[in-house]
Amino acid sequence: MSGTAVGSETGSDERRTTVTVNCTGHVRSAVGQPRLEFTFTGTTLRAFLDAFFDEYDVADMLIAETEAEATTRGWAPVDEDVPGTWNANPEGEQTRAYARVLVNGRFNESLDGLDTGLDDGDRVALVYPFLFCL
């Protein structure tokens, strides 16, 4: 994240939350293990990420600072009139292209973004796959 914090939790209490963190790909290599329990102060994904990134240097793998870092060129044309609802986190709170943050198996963009609430025992997956081009 180049010195930019994900953001402070507003109105946070001093509650400590313990989640199971699953790491894949490059995040797993950087953290050194595929799964761990992690306790932090707060109750949101934002508070978790701030604490986790303080302990493990993986923010640059996961969080995009700009819209350009969050997207990649596609091979198919984009239909401007797509069905359903498209949610994206605000700029600076998006994941990098191909990286994802999931809470209990759901993309954070499908929940409340970085303001998604976390409870003890929730699962947070930090995904940044190995990509191979042939």
Side-chain angles (χ1 to χ4, degrees):
M1 276 211 258
S2 306
T4 304
V6 173
S8 298
E9 188 175 73
T10 57
S12 77
D13 55 24
E14 293 300 316
R15 182 175 147 209
R16 295 185 55 78
T17 305
T18 300
V19 296
T20 300
V21 183
N22 294 297
C23 305
T24 67
H26 292 290
V27 177
R28 178 181 177 172
S29 295
V31 170
Q33 53 190 321
R35 179 176 292 131
L36 64 136
E37 298 292 312
F38 190 82
T39 301
F40 64 98
T41 301
T43 58
T44 65
L45 182 59
R46 182 183 314 276
F48 161 77
L49 290 174
D50 283 342
F52 195 82
F53 294 159
D54 282 347
E55 190 161 333
Y56 299 97
D57 188 23
V58 295
D60 287 338
M61 282 185 219
L62 294 167
I63 303 298
E65 290 186 23
T66 66
E67 187 76 28
E69 292 175 344
T71 58
T72 185
R73 285 187 355 192
W75 295 323
V78 177
D79 184 357
E80 295 299 323
D81 189 30
V82 293
T85 303
W86 171 255
N87 296 321
N89 290 335
E91 188 171 81
E93 296 185 7
Q94 298 173 335
T95 54
R96 289 188 170 276
Y98 306 111
R100 291 291 176 262
V101 176
L102 295 90
V103 175
N104 296 324
R106 295 184 61 200
F107 294 137
N108 76 76
E109 295 92 343
S110 299
L111 301 168
D112 289 326
L114 298 186
D115 295 322
T116 298
L118 295 176
D119 292 312
D120 285 330
D122 280 349
R123 294 169 292 124
V124 177
L126 304 176
V127 179
Y128 187 59
F130 297 110
L131 297 175
F132 298 98
C133 296
L134 299 174

PDB file of all heavy atoms in Angstrom, residues 39-53:
ATOM      1  N   THR A  39      -5.975 -12.651  15.939  1.00  0.00           N
ATOM      2  CA  THR A  39      -6.780 -11.826  16.838  1.00  0.00           C
ATOM      3  C   THR A  39      -6.398 -10.371  16.642  1.00  0.00           C
ATOM      4  O   THR A  39      -5.217 -10.028  16.587  1.00  0.00           O
ATOM      5  CB  THR A  39      -6.554 -12.253  18.309  1.00  0.00           C
ATOM      6  OG1 THR A  39      -6.907 -13.637  18.433  1.00  0.00           O
ATOM      7  CG2 THR A  39      -7.399 -11.421  19.254  1.00  0.00           C
ATOM      8  N   PHE A  40      -7.407  -9.512  16.543  1.00  0.00           N
ATOM      9  CA  PHE A  40      -7.196  -8.078  16.326  1.00  0.00           C
ATOM     10  C   PHE A  40      -8.216  -7.296  17.133  1.00  0.00           C
ATOM     11  O   PHE A  40      -9.227  -7.835  17.585  1.00  0.00           O
ATOM     12  CB  PHE A  40      -7.303  -7.745  14.830  1.00  0.00           C
ATOM     13  CG  PHE A  40      -8.667  -8.002  14.253  1.00  0.00           C
ATOM     14  CD1 PHE A  40      -9.584  -6.969  14.109  1.00  0.00           C
ATOM     15  CD2 PHE A  40      -9.048  -9.282  13.877  1.00  0.00           C
ATOM     16  CE1 PHE A  40     -10.844  -7.210  13.598  1.00  0.00           C
ATOM     17  CE2 PHE A  40     -10.307  -9.534  13.366  1.00  0.00           C
ATOM     18  CZ  PHE A  40     -11.217  -8.494  13.220  1.00  0.00           C
ATOM     19  N   THR A  41      -7.955  -6.020  17.300  1.00  0.00           N
ATOM     20  CA  THR A  41      -8.881  -5.143  17.986  1.00  0.00           C
ATOM     21  C   THR A  41      -9.818  -4.525  16.957  1.00  0.00           C
ATOM     22  O   THR A  41      -9.368  -3.900  15.996  1.00  0.00           O
ATOM     23  CB  THR A  41      -8.132  -4.031  18.745  1.00  0.00           C
ATOM     24  OG1 THR A  41      -7.253  -4.645  19.684  1.00  0.00           O
ATOM     25  CG2 THR A  41      -9.094  -3.104  19.467  1.00  0.00           C
ATOM     26  N   GLY A  42     -11.125  -4.727  17.159  1.00  0.00           N
ATOM     27  CA  GLY A  42     -12.124  -4.198  16.245  1.00  0.00           C
ATOM     28  C   GLY A  42     -13.078  -5.283  15.798  1.00  0.00           C
ATOM     29  O   GLY A  42     -12.968  -6.445  16.215  1.00  0.00           O
ATOM     30  N   THR A  43     -13.997  -4.894  14.917  1.00  0.00           N
ATOM     31  CA  THR A  43     -15.037  -5.826  14.494  1.00  0.00           C
ATOM     32  C   THR A  43     -15.326  -5.746  12.997  1.00  0.00           C
ATOM     33  O   THR A  43     -16.359  -6.239  12.547  1.00  0.00           O
ATOM     34  CB  THR A  43     -16.348  -5.551  15.260  1.00  0.00           C
ATOM     35  OG1 THR A  43     -16.745  -4.197  15.013  1.00  0.00           O
ATOM     36  CG2 THR A  43     -16.186  -5.789  16.748  1.00  0.00           C
ATOM     37  N   THR A  44     -14.435  -5.131  12.228  1.00  0.00           N
ATOM     38  CA  THR A  44     -14.675  -5.003  10.787  1.00  0.00           C
ATOM     39  C   THR A  44     -13.511  -5.573   9.986  1.00  0.00           C
ATOM     40  O   THR A  44     -12.400  -5.740  10.501  1.00  0.00           O
ATOM     41  CB  THR A  44     -14.865  -3.531  10.361  1.00  0.00           C
ATOM     42  OG1 THR A  44     -13.645  -2.836  10.577  1.00  0.00           O
ATOM     43  CG2 THR A  44     -16.015  -2.869  11.105  1.00  0.00           C
ATOM     44  N   LEU A  45     -13.780  -5.816   8.721  1.00  0.00           N
ATOM     45  CA  LEU A  45     -12.729  -6.270   7.815  1.00  0.00           C
ATOM     46  C   LEU A  45     -11.624  -5.224   7.722  1.00  0.00           C
ATOM     47  O   LEU A  45     -10.445  -5.560   7.663  1.00  0.00           O
ATOM     48  CB  LEU A  45     -13.324  -6.565   6.436  1.00  0.00           C
ATOM     49  CG  LEU A  45     -12.376  -7.104   5.376  1.00  0.00           C
ATOM     50  CD1 LEU A  45     -11.735  -8.418   5.823  1.00  0.00           C
ATOM     51  CD2 LEU A  45     -13.118  -7.286   4.059  1.00  0.00           C
ATOM     52  N   ARG A  46     -11.985  -3.961   7.748  1.00  0.00           N
ATOM     53  CA  ARG A  46     -11.002  -2.870   7.697  1.00  0.00           C
ATOM     54  C   ARG A  46     -10.037  -2.961   8.882  1.00  0.00           C
ATOM     55  O   ARG A  46      -8.821  -2.877   8.726  1.00  0.00           O
ATOM     56  CB  ARG A  46     -11.722  -1.521   7.705  1.00  0.00           C
ATOM     57  CG  ARG A  46     -10.836  -0.313   7.613  1.00  0.00           C
ATOM     58  CD  ARG A  46     -11.640   0.989   7.692  1.00  0.00           C
ATOM     59  NE  ARG A  46     -12.825   1.002   6.861  1.00  0.00           N
ATOM     60  CZ  ARG A  46     -12.832   1.315   5.566  1.00  0.00           C
ATOM     61  NH1 ARG A  46     -11.711   1.620   4.957  1.00  0.00           N
ATOM     62  NH2 ARG A  46     -13.967   1.309   4.883  1.00  0.00           N
ATOM     63  N   ALA A  47     -10.578  -3.168  10.091  1.00  0.00           N
ATOM     64  CA  ALA A  47      -9.727  -3.280  11.287  1.00  0.00           C
ATOM     65  C   ALA A  47      -8.844  -4.517  11.199  1.00  0.00           C
ATOM     66  O   ALA A  47      -7.662  -4.473  11.570  1.00  0.00           O
ATOM     67  CB  ALA A  47     -10.595  -3.326  12.547  1.00  0.00           C
ATOM     68  N   PHE A  48      -9.410  -5.626  10.706  1.00  0.00           N
ATOM     69  CA  PHE A  48      -8.622  -6.839  10.522  1.00  0.00           C
ATOM     70  C   PHE A  48      -7.455  -6.586   9.574  1.00  0.00           C
ATOM     71  O   PHE A  48      -6.310  -6.933   9.866  1.00  0.00           O
ATOM     72  CB  PHE A  48      -9.492  -7.987   9.993  1.00  0.00           C
ATOM     73  CG  PHE A  48      -8.679  -9.084   9.369  1.00  0.00           C
ATOM     74  CD1 PHE A  48      -7.990  -9.989  10.165  1.00  0.00           C
ATOM     75  CD2 PHE A  48      -8.548  -9.175   7.990  1.00  0.00           C
ATOM     76  CE1 PHE A  48      -7.205 -10.982   9.582  1.00  0.00           C
ATOM     77  CE2 PHE A  48      -7.779 -10.159   7.410  1.00  0.00           C
ATOM     78  CZ  PHE A  48      -7.103 -11.075   8.209  1.00  0.00           C
ATOM     79  N   LEU A  49      -7.747  -6.013   8.393  1.00  0.00           N
ATOM     80  CA  LEU A  49      -6.690  -5.795   7.401  1.00  0.00           C
ATOM     81  C   LEU A  49      -5.612  -4.863   7.937  1.00  0.00           C
ATOM     82  O   LEU A  49      -4.425  -5.097   7.720  1.00  0.00           O
ATOM     83  CB  LEU A  49      -7.285  -5.256   6.096  1.00  0.00           C
ATOM     84  CG  LEU A  49      -8.115  -6.256   5.294  1.00  0.00           C
ATOM     85  CD1 LEU A  49      -8.773  -5.566   4.112  1.00  0.00           C
ATOM     86  CD2 LEU A  49      -7.284  -7.444   4.837  1.00  0.00           C
ATOM     87  N   ASP A  50      -6.004  -3.793   8.613  1.00  0.00           N
ATOM     88  CA  ASP A  50      -5.002  -2.888   9.196  1.00  0.00           C
ATOM     89  C   ASP A  50      -4.064  -3.651  10.126  1.00  0.00           C
ATOM     90  O   ASP A  50      -2.835  -3.522  10.044  1.00  0.00           O
ATOM     91  CB  ASP A  50      -5.671  -1.744   9.968  1.00  0.00           C
ATOM     92  CG  ASP A  50      -6.243  -0.656   9.074  1.00  0.00           C
ATOM     93  OD1 ASP A  50      -5.845  -0.572   7.890  1.00  0.00           O
ATOM     94  OD2 ASP A  50      -7.084   0.119   9.564  1.00  0.00           O
ATOM     95  N   ALA A  51      -4.618  -4.464  11.015  1.00  0.00           N
ATOM     96  CA  ALA A  51      -3.806  -5.220  11.978  1.00  0.00           C
ATOM     97  C   ALA A  51      -2.977  -6.292  11.275  1.00  0.00           C
ATOM     98  O   ALA A  51      -1.793  -6.471  11.579  1.00  0.00           O
ATOM     99  CB  ALA A  51      -4.710  -5.854  13.037  1.00  0.00           C
ATOM    100  N   PHE A  52      -3.592  -6.996  10.324  1.00  0.00           N
ATOM    101  CA  PHE A  52      -2.883  -8.067   9.627  1.00  0.00           C
ATOM    102  C   PHE A  52      -1.726  -7.505   8.814  1.00  0.00           C
ATOM    103  O   PHE A  52      -0.625  -8.055   8.815  1.00  0.00           O
ATOM    104  CB  PHE A  52      -3.858  -8.839   8.722  1.00  0.00           C
ATOM    105  CG  PHE A  52      -3.321 -10.157   8.255  1.00  0.00           C
ATOM    106  CD1 PHE A  52      -3.388 -11.280   9.062  1.00  0.00           C
ATOM    107  CD2 PHE A  52      -2.740 -10.279   7.007  1.00  0.00           C
ATOM    108  CE1 PHE A  52      -2.890 -12.509   8.642  1.00  0.00           C
ATOM    109  CE2 PHE A  52      -2.231 -11.505   6.566  1.00  0.00           C
ATOM    110  CZ  PHE A  52      -2.305 -12.619   7.395  1.00  0.00           C
ATOM    111  N   PHE A  53      -1.955  -6.382   8.117  1.00  0.00           N
ATOM    112  CA  PHE A  53      -0.905  -5.777   7.309  1.00  0.00           C
ATOM    113  C   PHE A  53       0.209  -5.192   8.170  1.00  0.00           C
ATOM    114  O   PHE A  53       1.351  -5.098   7.727  1.00  0.00           O
ATOM    115  CB  PHE A  53      -1.473  -4.699   6.390  1.00  0.00           C
ATOM    116  CG  PHE A  53      -2.404  -5.229   5.320  1.00  0.00           C
ATOM    117  CD1 PHE A  53      -3.318  -4.385   4.711  1.00  0.00           C
ATOM    118  CD2 PHE A  53      -2.386  -6.561   4.928  1.00  0.00           C
ATOM    119  CE1 PHE A  53      -4.176  -4.856   3.719  1.00  0.00           C
ATOM    120  CE2 PHE A  53      -3.247  -7.048   3.941  1.00  0.00           C
ATOM    121  CZ  PHE A  53      -4.141  -6.180   3.337  1.00  0.00           C
TER     122      PHE A  53
END
